[in-house]
Amino acid sequence: MKTQLVALFASGSGSNAVNLIRYFNEHDSILIRLLMCNKPGAPVVEKVKAHGIEAFITDNAAFEDGNVIVQALKERQIDWIVLAGFLRKLPAPLVRAYENRIINIHPALLPKYGGKGMYGMFVHQAVIAAKEAQSGITIHLVNEEFDKGEVLAQYSVELDEQDSPESVAMKVQELEHLYFPYIVERTINSI
Ligand code: GRF
């Protein structure tokens, strides 16, 4: 099989991006080729560059348009997009160009705590406010509706009365680092 080239989209701290880069380092059929980022100063940019990965920084206007991004991806022969902490909704031309080849991770058990405004600590605050007995992660394909693509995998973690949004965030991040690379690998290898 031809090596599958992956673009990571991330604009935050980049812990998942770095975890994915480490996992796929010297992988025999999957290569992380590029980081796409819409925030010039985001910590993720320097972190991925330190691993020798090209960072493509875009402004929001170019991103919204979609075609600039699609062209940049096609020029680099990118096969898959993995969203690892990317907060903007993807423009339609991009979703169409990579139909069924965009994977996202959401820090909750969708369909609960998904949709507009549900990102980062807002998710964990809502989980605690609702006194949920568990939270977790959802890894899913991306379509044109926010957080509504086909679910590839979910993993949960128990919560108790001692938990705070911060402790839930830590528990969820542990699941992300443990399972996200493996599900990305499984999904890419299944095609
Ligand atoms: C993760 O919680 C992920 O689920 C969400 O954004 C966060 C990114 O965290 N989509 P990091 O930048 O990888 O640490």
Side-chain angles (χ1 to χ4, degrees), residues 12-17 84-86 104-107 173 176:
S13 82
S15 77
N16 279 284
F86 192 78
N104 183 41
I105 186 161
H106 186 79
Q173 191 183 60
E176 293 182 337

Side-chain angles (χ1 to χ4, degrees), residues 27 31 48 54 97 99 113 123 125 133 141 153 158-159 185:
H27 193 279
L31 179 72
V48 307
E54 180 191 359
E99 202 182 353
Y113 308 106
V123 176
Q125 281 157 4
L141 293 176
E158 299 303 310
L159 305 180
E185 181 181 39

